[in-house]
Amino acid sequence: MRAIPNFLQGIFVTLTIALWPLLFLLTLSSGLPPIKTIFSFDYQASQLILRKIYLYPNIPLARLFQNKAQIPTTKYESNLVALIDPNNYFFGFHPREVAGGLNLVKFPFVSLPFFILGFYALSKRKNCRLLFGFLAASILILSLLDNFADYDFVLYFPLVVIFLHGCKSIPQKRIGLSHLYILLALPFAAIEFLRQLIISYPR
Amino acid sequence: MKKRAIFILLLAIILGVITRHYHLGLAPAGLYLDEAAQGYSAYSILKTGKDEFGLPFPIVFRSFADFKTPVYIYLIVPLIPIFGLSAFTVRLPSFLSSILTLPILFLLIQKLTSGKQSGYWLSSLSVLLLSLSPWHILFGRTNFECNVALLIYLLGIYLFYLGLKKPLLLIFSGVVLAVALPAYHSERLLVPLSALFFLVRFNKVLLKPTHLRFALTGLLLAFLITLPLLTIALTPGFLARVNTLAIDPAQNLPGVITGLSGLSNSALNSGFFLRLKDFLALYLAYLSPRNLFFLGDSGPRSSFPDLSTFFFWQLPFYLHGFYLLLKKKDLGEIRNLTLFMLFVSPIPAALTRDPFSTIRALPLVIPVTILISLSLIDIWQRLKTSLRRLLGLAVFGLLLIYSLLKLYSSAIILNEYYRAADWNYGWQQVVEVINKNTDSTLPIVIDNVRTEPYSQVLFFTKFDPARYQRENFEVPLSEYYTNLTRQTTKKIGRISLRGIAWEADLAVKQYLIGDFLAISPEQISNNHLRLIAEIKYPDGSVAFRITLTQPELNSATIK
């Protein structure tokens, strides 16, 4: 009797953790582009800052908010918030897609509760600092790249660990709400999996 | 501790007044058409007891067939005899609501933390952060109903919690929440959900004999106040906003895969699946740090340039506060209410297709501010030595000063320069030129193909509402809430607002007014128009041109 829920849970887990690597391989067909950092010169941004400087009534105020350091800082902030945006991983940044970016759906959106469970469960354990530290460091370093979306696959590993931990925190010995959720969510996960494969398949 | 908290509250109110009152009515420059429409509706009610279409005391205001919520408009009415009909007056209710929200929030948090010392810190820090919140300030400086609705909603909640100890106040809570319902569209969903939350959470208290009759009386009065709204609840007018803004029908939803047919199309492009996914994506967007701390609202009137809804430096405190709120189960009722508001406030906004609407999700500013405050207090408590605390205080002080300067930079300097056109700058100047520099015997045509300036012209000319009602017809009054037909041609005395019909209009001696596209330099020279005045945006580009036709020159050319 318990084999059926475990079987279904197995399919659900497989669909969740297989999606991103498959999509990554599909998009990798043209190879990884060269790394571009946020420190590369941006002519348009520089010109915009110069125009804005003249609007301020005094130089200190102008320099505080309109300066060349602002260009890489703003890019860094933009990349950082994109990397910690849940919509990045579950909805391909929808409804605010990144112009010119990959905008890949990395995990089916129905798996989100297990990531939350996993984060919460792991945060109570002292030996998870390495995992969270790796995740945080990866995000901070990736934010230095203009094309972070091409290299963010490094986040796959810690995120999958968190997801699996979330699944593990479900009571295994008795059938409950979480199993019912998996049963209901499974078709959605399957549909999302197929949709993303079709959308990303090179034509 | 109590004295310190009150000191911080007073400081927050002073900061709130400064950030919201500075150049109130002047910045944003310009008066958006909805603001002017609400102001003129209030003026019309004051003078005639009817709106611009002639309906006495409407339940919702037809305006541009978008059926504006009534509370804000009725709040403007008593202010007009005192302050006159001006941009300052129409924005004043927003300003006052925004300021009054600060002490109400302070008292609410105090109530929910039962007078504990940590409660004093939380309440005072929350109002201090709210007083500097870009999200709250934007709507406190401009005519937006959501701000008034938030105040009324918070007051209703506060009265409810007071009513749990003093049952008579449950009646007032019911009445106030009923007034919040028509105050803004989001509250139409938020108030019933909140009522349900309170009923479920406090059912044991509310069902006690000491409380039941007051609770029922409050519910009855709320129902009676809501009755006029219920009578039109199913009309196209009442549902106008829902119909125009709701998540798209299935065929227009994002993510539809083309080229599929049969079973694969039904499964993979299922309307239910796509709508659910769209709704969840929209919902999650309101909790996303990317939108709250970096992107903000993409609407030019719902945001300040270079500034999001919160300051970027608050991001780590938001994440930390989120974690604390979930982990610390001993926070008491403040935890329950904050969680409720955090997860329920985005729902009305997420049901609409706009990606991140700060207007519709304004109640979310409260729980997010509380989260940030929770985190700051937790960090403060971890600073054990007085040197570290002094350093922490200095850093916090610098961040507050930086935030104030950032507000000035974005809300005053950049907003005035870059967003003047979005705020419909220029119509006040156009009316001034009409009054001072034109021959009052000649007719005027204002082009309205790309915009609808009639509300601004009515507003700035302070045109007689009774005459306007007589001379303009849209729909029979019996169809006020049901017929969505619009008449875009308007008559305001000698001013006609319509598209310019070049051939016919050049044959008549009159003034032609239009934007830089409607009346270009080529049209001026080709049609022998005499340029009377050019109204420019703060960035120097042309907003409007006021010209005079010269039929005698045109007919000479034809001959």
Side-chain angles (χ1 to χ4, degrees):
Chain A
M1 183 67 187
R2 284 190 211 115
I4 298 170
N6 288 341
F7 174 68
L8 292 175
Q9 187 177 339
I11 297 178
F12 182 77
V13 167
T14 306
L15 287 172
T16 300
I17 65 176
L19 182 60
W20 193 354
L22 275 169
L23 295 181
F24 182 69
L25 286 169
L26 283 171
T27 53
L28 200 56
S29 54
S30 49
L32 274 174
I35 289 177
K36 270 172 59 185
T37 71
I38 58 175
F39 302 105
S40 46
F41 180 64
D42 189 332
Y43 176 74
Q44 277 184 338
S46 308
Q47 290 301 301
L48 188 60
I49 283 175
L50 281 172
R51 279 201 295 274
K52 284 181 181 176
I53 281 174
Y54 290 106
L55 300 177
Y56 288 76
N58 58 66
I59 292 170
L61 197 62
R63 285 292 176 202
L64 180 62
F65 296 111
Q66 307 300 333
N67 53 68
K68 289 199 177 143
Q70 193 198 347
I71 300 172
T73 308
T74 306
K75 285 184 184 178
Y76 189 82
E77 288 171 3
S78 171
N79 295 344
L80 180 66
V81 291
L83 284 162
I84 61 173
D85 182 9
N87 286 51
N88 172 9
Y89 301 94
F90 300 98
F91 299 101
F93 282 116
H94 185 68
R96 306 188 85 173
E97 282 79 351
V98 173
L102 288 175
N103 294 305
L104 285 179
V105 169
K106 296 162 170 98
F107 301 104
F109 63 89
V110 287
S111 61
L112 174 60
F114 295 100
F115 282 90
I116 297 171
L117 269 172
F119 264 111
Y120 187 69
L122 281 168
S123 67
K124 291 198 264 186
R125 293 169 59 154
K126 284 188 182 161
N127 59 359
C128 71
R129 282 180 192 171
L130 186 62
L131 179 72
F132 286 140
F134 176 78
L135 187 61
S138 304
I139 288 172
L140 291 172
I141 293 169
L142 278 169
S143 302
L144 291 167
L145 306 182
D146 252 347
N147 52 346
F148 65 88
D150 296 321
Y151 292 88
D152 62 359
F153 190 70
V154 297
L155 300 175
Y156 172 78
F157 305 100
L159 288 174
V160 159
V161 169
I162 291 167
F163 169 72
L164 291 172
H165 219 88
C167 290
K168 202 178 148 194
S169 64
I170 299 169
Q172 299 294 325
K173 291 190 177 169
R174 52 187 173 84
I175 296 168
L177 270 173
S178 42
H179 293 99
L180 182 63
Y181 177 81
I182 289 173
L183 185 65
L184 292 170
L186 194 52
F188 291 94
I191 291 172
E192 184 72 291
F193 187 88
L194 289 169
R195 282 177 47 84
Q196 295 309 318
L197 281 182
I198 292 171
I199 290 168
S200 304
Y201 195 81
R203 292 176 193 189
Chain B
M1 185 58 230
K2 193 175 175 180
K3 282 184 188 167
R4 263 187 231 169
I6 293 183
F7 170 75
I8 296 173
L9 170 64
L10 289 171
L11 175 67
I13 291 174
I14 291 168
L15 281 173
V17 168
I18 292 170
T19 51
R20 289 152 178 79
H21 194 267
Y22 179 76
H23 281 193
L24 182 68
L26 299 174
L31 191 69
Y32 187 57
L33 51 88
D34 278 336
E35 295 184 290
Q38 294 198 17
Y40 191 76
S41 294
Y43 184 65
S44 184
I45 293 284
L46 179 72
K47 295 289 184 190
T48 65
K50 299 173 188 173
D51 80 332
E52 67 191 78
F53 302 101
L55 188 75
F57 300 102
I59 301 167
V60 287
F61 282 77
R62 188 184 171 89
S63 193
F64 299 101
D66 57 349
F67 296 89
K68 292 178 170 46
T69 51
V71 174
Y72 196 101
I73 295 172
Y74 287 118
L75 282 175
I76 299 174
V77 173
L79 299 175
I80 296 173
I82 306 168
F83 299 101
L85 184 64
S86 66
F88 175 85
T89 310
V90 301
R91 290 172 178 172
L92 193 56
S94 227
F95 163 76
L96 293 171
S97 305
S98 192
I99 298 301
L100 288 172
T101 303
L102 299 172
I104 297 294
L105 180 64
F106 180 88
L107 291 169
L108 177 62
I109 297 175
Q110 282 284 291
K111 179 70 193 154
L112 296 179
T113 50
S114 311
K116 288 184 208 163
Q117 191 176 23
S118 54
Y120 282 112
W121 281 119
L122 187 62
S123 53
S124 41
L125 195 54
S126 297
V127 294
L128 183 63
L129 292 177
L130 191 67
S131 71
L132 292 175
S133 161
W135 195 350
H136 202 240
I137 287 171
L138 171 66
F139 298 123
R141 296 182 58 83
T142 48
N143 177 342
F144 279 101
E145 312 100 305
C146 55
N147 209 10
V148 170
L150 177 62
L151 168 69
I152 301 172
Y153 174 66
L154 278 181
L155 181 61
I157 292 178
Y158 176 57
L159 287 169
F160 176 83
Y161 279 105
L162 286 179
L164 293 176
K165 287 274 160 66
K166 294 177 185 171
L168 179 67
L169 292 172
L170 288 174
I171 298 175
F172 293 97
S173 173
V175 167
V176 170
L177 285 172
V179 173
L181 202 68
Y184 187 59
H185 306 287
S186 296
E187 270 68 15
R188 290 177 187 174
L189 195 53
L190 204 56
V191 168
L193 286 174
S194 302
L196 196 63
F197 168 73
F198 291 135
L199 276 168
V200 168
R201 178 127 183 79
F202 299 104
N203 63 81
K204 284 185 185 159
V205 176
L206 294 172
L207 290 174
K208 277 187 197 169
T210 46
H211 288 68
L212 187 60
R213 56 196 171 103
F214 295 107
L216 287 174
T217 309
L219 265 172
L220 181 65
L221 286 173
F223 175 72
L224 289 172
I225 292 169
T226 315
L227 209 52
L229 213 59
L230 290 172
T231 59
I232 59 165
L234 295 175
T235 59
F238 189 81
L239 298 170
R241 292 297 281 173
V242 172
N243 291 334
T244 50
L245 296 173
I247 291 178
D248 288 310
Q251 58 270 27
N252 292 340
L253 277 169
V256 171
I257 302 173
T258 54
L260 297 178
S261 60
L263 186 62
S264 58
N265 184 55
S266 307
L268 301 183
N269 287 331
S270 153
F272 176 73
F273 176 86
L274 291 175
R275 272 205 198 85
L276 177 67
K277 187 178 170 187
D278 205 33
F279 169 72
L280 290 173
L282 287 162
Y283 177 83
L284 212 57
Y286 287 95
L287 302 174
S288 162
R290 185 172 175 235
N291 293 318
L292 291 170
F293 298 93
F294 188 77
L295 290 177
D297 194 323
S298 56
R301 286 178 304 279
S302 314
S303 60
F304 294 129
D306 289 1
L307 194 54
S308 184
T309 50
F310 292 90
F311 298 102
F312 194 82
W313 64 264
Q314 295 172 322
L315 167 59
F317 302 110
Y318 167 70
L319 297 173
H320 181 227
F322 214 128
Y323 169 73
L324 286 175
L325 191 73
L326 293 173
K327 185 180 158 193
K328 281 186 168 185
K329 291 180 179 151
D330 59 345
L331 285 171
E333 188 57 27
I334 187 71
R335 178 177 185 262
N336 297 322
L337 184 67
T338 305
L339 280 170
F340 171 77
M341 287 188 75
L342 190 65
F343 291 118
V344 172
S345 299
I347 295 177
L351 288 169
T352 66
R353 67 178 81 105
D354 294 330
F356 184 71
S357 170
T358 47
I359 302 173
R360 293 172 209 138
L362 182 63
L364 189 60
V365 75
I366 302 295
V368 176
T369 303
I370 292 174
L371 287 185
I372 295 167
S373 307
L374 267 175
S375 170
L376 284 167
I377 291 167
D378 185 71
I379 289 168
W380 173 260
Q381 285 167 345
R382 287 168 195 267
L383 299 174
K384 298 291 181 192
T385 66
S386 33
L387 178 64
R388 284 183 185 176
R389 286 197 161 186
L390 198 63
L391 212 61
L393 214 55
V395 169
F396 185 66
L398 283 171
L399 285 170
L400 288 185
I401 294 169
Y402 171 81
S403 303
L404 263 172
L405 293 172
K406 182 77 178 167
L407 276 167
Y408 180 75
S409 163
S410 293
I412 305 297
I413 298 172
L414 297 178
N415 200 54
E416 293 313 283
Y417 188 82
Y418 287 107
R419 307 265 169 106
D422 300 299
W423 283 99
N424 293 163
Y425 172 86
W427 288 109
Q428 185 173 6
Q429 290 78 0
V430 165
V431 168
E432 283 167 9
V433 170
I434 288 173
N435 290 337
K436 290 179 193 167
N437 299 63
T438 63
D439 181 345
S440 58
T441 62
L442 293 178
I444 299 172
V445 174
I446 297 181
D447 180 79
N448 67 354
V449 167
R450 267 170 302 283
T451 182
E452 290 226 48
Y454 88 91
S455 62
Q456 286 123 329
V457 175
L458 282 171
F459 186 94
F460 290 117
T461 56
K462 298 181 180 50
F463 193 73
D464 176 21
R467 185 177 167 193
Y468 180 77
Q469 288 160 28
R470 277 194 312 272
E471 293 177 359
N472 290 271
F473 174 82
E474 185 146 300
V475 294
L477 290 182
S478 57
E479 294 173 26
Y480 185 93
Y481 298 110
T482 53
N483 188 341
L484 302 185
T485 308
R486 292 206 57 229
Q487 297 296 333
T488 51
T489 300
K490 305 286 184 184
K491 192 104 177 73
I492 303 174
R494 66 182 174 117
I495 305 171
S496 298
L497 291 105
R498 54 172 171 80
I500 295 174
W502 285 103
E503 205 173 306
D505 284 331
L506 286 172
V508 177
K509 186 96 178 161
Q510 62 187 342
Y511 295 96
L512 299 180
I513 300 174
D515 63 11
F516 66 100
L517 279 174
I519 302 179
S520 61
E522 293 72 30
Q523 275 165 329
I524 290 174
S525 77
N526 292 346
N527 297 311
H528 306 289
L529 295 170
R530 182 152 70 92
L531 183 66
I532 305 297
E534 253 183 3
I535 309 297
K536 292 191 176 171
Y537 291 122
D539 65 2
S541 59
V542 171
F544 305 105
R545 290 190 174 99
I546 299 161
T547 61
L548 177 67
T549 59
Q550 300 184 97
E552 61 281 5
L553 287 182
N554 278 314
S555 56
T557 309
I558 291 166
K559 280 177 190 165

